Amino acid sequence: VVCFTCAVAILVGRAFDNFASLIGALGSVPLAFILAPSIHLKLFAHELSPARRALEGAVIATGVAAMLLSTAVTLSTWTSSS
């Protein structure tokens, strides 16, 4: 992983910050805000109140919106800085 990251940093040069942002947008946001609540909802849906299930759905929807927005912003800054 470290060697791959170093190789990418060498290849993309000054755009490495955009690459790191893109990885965060496509990797970290879904992991924290989409997958975790989805798994929790799948495993414990029968034990959760309707309000709690709605809250889990809201967190998932917010995560999808954050992922799409951060990806769009990263791609727009990447193309404008090239």
Side-chain angles (χ1 to χ4, degrees), residues 3 41 61 66 73 78:
C3 291
L41 193 58
V73 168
W78 201 334

Side-chain angles (χ1 to χ4, degrees), residues 4-77:
F4 173 74
T5 304
C6 290
V8 169
I10 292 168
L11 290 174
V12 296
R14 301 183 122 207
F16 184 71
D17 58 337
N18 291 328
F19 174 75
S21 295
L22 190 61
I23 295 301
L26 296 174
S28 300
V29 172
L31 184 64
F33 293 108
I34 299 172
L35 291 178
S38 297
I39 292 170
H40 184 258
L41 193 58
K42 180 76 172 170
L43 291 176
F44 299 106
H46 60 283
E47 298 175 14
L48 300 175
S49 68
R52 182 62 188 228
R53 280 184 274 171
L55 181 62
E56 298 275 348
V59 170
I60 293 168
T62 302
V64 169
M67 180 186 70
L68 294 174
L69 179 65
S70 59
T71 302
V73 168
T74 299
L75 291 176
S76 70
T77 58

